[in-house]
Structures are given as C-alpha cells and as structure tokens.
Amino acid sequence: MRTRSRPSPSATRWHLALALAFALLFAVVGSGLLRAQEPARRSAAELMDVLMWNREPVGGPFSLTDHGGKPRTEEDFRGKFLLVYFGFTYCPDICPTDLVEIGRALDQLGPDGEIIQPLFITLYPERDTPAHLAEYLSLFHPRLIGLTGSGAAIGQAAEAYKVYYRKVETGPDTYTVDHSAYVYLLDTRGRYLGFFPPNTPAERMVTIIRSHLPAH
C-alpha cells in the first residue's frame, strides 16, 4: 500500500499566499466594479448650472412620511402650488432664516395663499423623526408639512430636485449637512416653475408667486 507524500511546509505556504493574493485581487476588482456602477454625485456647481439653465427636468415622484407619521407621495399635493425646501432641523442659520421668510410670504398672501402648500424635506432623516419635525416646524408656520424617510427615499427626492447635500463629520458620532438651499416653486400639476435662492425675502417671493396664481 502506497502512502501519499505530504506537501512540504514551504509549498503549503506558497499555495496559501497565492490563494490570498487572488482573493485580494478579486476583492479590489469587485469593489472597483461596484463603485463604477454607482452614479457619481454631482457637485454643487454642476447642480446649480442645471437649475439656472433648465438643463434637466426638476421635481418628480417621491415616497416619504410626513410629520404626523402619514405616508405621502407627490400625488397627495396635486391641486396645490408647492413651495419645496430641503434642509435639516439642526441647521444653524440658513434653514431657519428661509423658513421664516416662507412663513411670512404665506401670511402676506392672505387668502390667496390657501392654494399654496409649503413642504420641508429633511436631509438628515437619522435625527429628523416625524415627531421632531412636527415640533420644529410649528415654530415657523402652522401650514408647513415636514417630510422624512429612509436615506434612499430622501436621496431619490433630492436627486429629482437637483439638491446638493453632503454629511460632514464634526466630531465623534456628530455630523452636520452641507447642502444647497433653494425654495422650489411648482404649479398645481407638479410642474417646476422656478426657484428662490437662499435669503430671498418674503416680499420678493410674494411678487413672483402672485404672478403664477389664478386670477380672481
């Protein structure tokens, strides 16, 4: 009876090293292919160019949850003009400033403004729960509706509206969000009419909005 010879320790180590090398190669190539399949996130300047020159459609379907815990889609708001704003409740300055102006614009429009629905879509859903959105938005205007959802759902909405945003680490387990801050105006059929840049005063919003409202 013949016995099999065992491979030498050096041969065993060589085969193990070769197997590890191939595994590493496949892991690197595989991760590269996955990254290649992911859409590259566009810069703030690129997205601003799209908005300024209407190079692509703006707006579109979304599936989110409002600050009362109710599922919402864009179809829920048909028949209303929309003022859509993306931000987050821990935003230190620009978000609260713009929300104040949106509230002032609605008040200045009076009864004419009843056809307008303002929406605040959070870019930080991990912290902006429906309950927190409800408490935060009550500080600005009673008709504001806050929307949140999964990271993927927020990303889909942000992509539709050409919103730039990026989470930035500020410390251990703490973040802020760099983001564009435009107030989007859509008509009663969900068609994009234009945007107001950051810090647009309510009076300017009212002038532009009135030009789109049905004549009385």
Side-chain angles (χ1 to χ4, degrees):
M1 180 177 179
R2 291 188 301 174
T3 58
R4 294 182 181 178
S5 60
R6 294 184 178 181
S8 66
S10 60
T12 301
R13 287 194 295 270
W14 184 84
H15 283 100
L16 180 59
L18 185 62
L20 289 173
F22 273 112
L24 180 60
L25 176 62
F26 282 123
V28 171
V29 171
S31 64
L33 289 174
L34 287 174
R35 284 194 297 270
Q37 292 171 359
E38 295 175 356
R41 179 167 289 186
R42 291 184 285 185
S43 69
E46 289 172 318
L47 292 171
M48 179 64 181
D49 184 68
V50 169
L51 290 173
M52 286 292 295
W53 303 105
N54 291 320
R55 298 188 188 279
E56 298 173 17
V58 177
F62 59 79
S63 181
L64 300 168
T65 302
D66 71 17
H67 65 245
K70 180 181 178 180
R72 294 282 197 159
T73 73
E74 74 287 350
E75 293 297 330
D76 294 325
F77 305 106
R78 291 295 180 257
K80 294 279 191 179
F81 282 83
L82 295 181
L83 286 174
V84 182
Y85 188 78
F86 288 79
F88 65 112
T89 62
Y90 292 87
C91 181
D93 42 35
I94 191 65
C95 294
T97 299
D98 287 337
L99 288 173
V100 164
E101 295 306 313
I102 289 172
R104 289 183 60 235
L106 293 172
D107 290 340
Q108 289 180 26
L109 284 164
D112 291 345
E114 293 298 322
I115 199 173
I116 298 169
Q117 177 58 62
L119 301 177
F120 176 86
I121 301 178
T122 180
L123 295 170
Y124 202 161
E126 297 88 350
R127 294 183 72 174
D128 289 344
T129 62
H132 185 68
L133 282 172
E135 180 181 4
Y136 178 76
L137 294 177
S138 67
L139 301 173
F140 300 98
H141 201 275
R143 291 194 10 235
L144 269 164
I145 292 178
L147 296 173
T148 187
S150 67
I154 295 296
Q156 179 183 351
E159 174 64 23
Y161 282 86
K162 309 302 180 283
V163 176
Y164 171 81
Y165 71 105
R166 183 172 64 93
K167 188 181 287 186
V168 179
E169 187 174 353
T170 57
D173 299 322
T174 60
Y175 301 88
T176 188
V177 180
D178 285 344
H179 65 94
S180 53
Y182 308 121
V183 182
Y184 301 87
L185 177 63
L186 288 84
D187 70 11
T188 56
R189 296 170 61 185
R191 296 176 301 188
Y192 172 68
L193 298 175
F195 72 91
F196 300 106
N199 293 313
T200 298
E203 292 74 16
R204 178 59 178 166
M205 289 189 193
V206 169
T207 299
I208 299 301
I209 290 170
R210 282 196 187 278
S211 70
H212 292 287
L213 294 181
H216 292 278

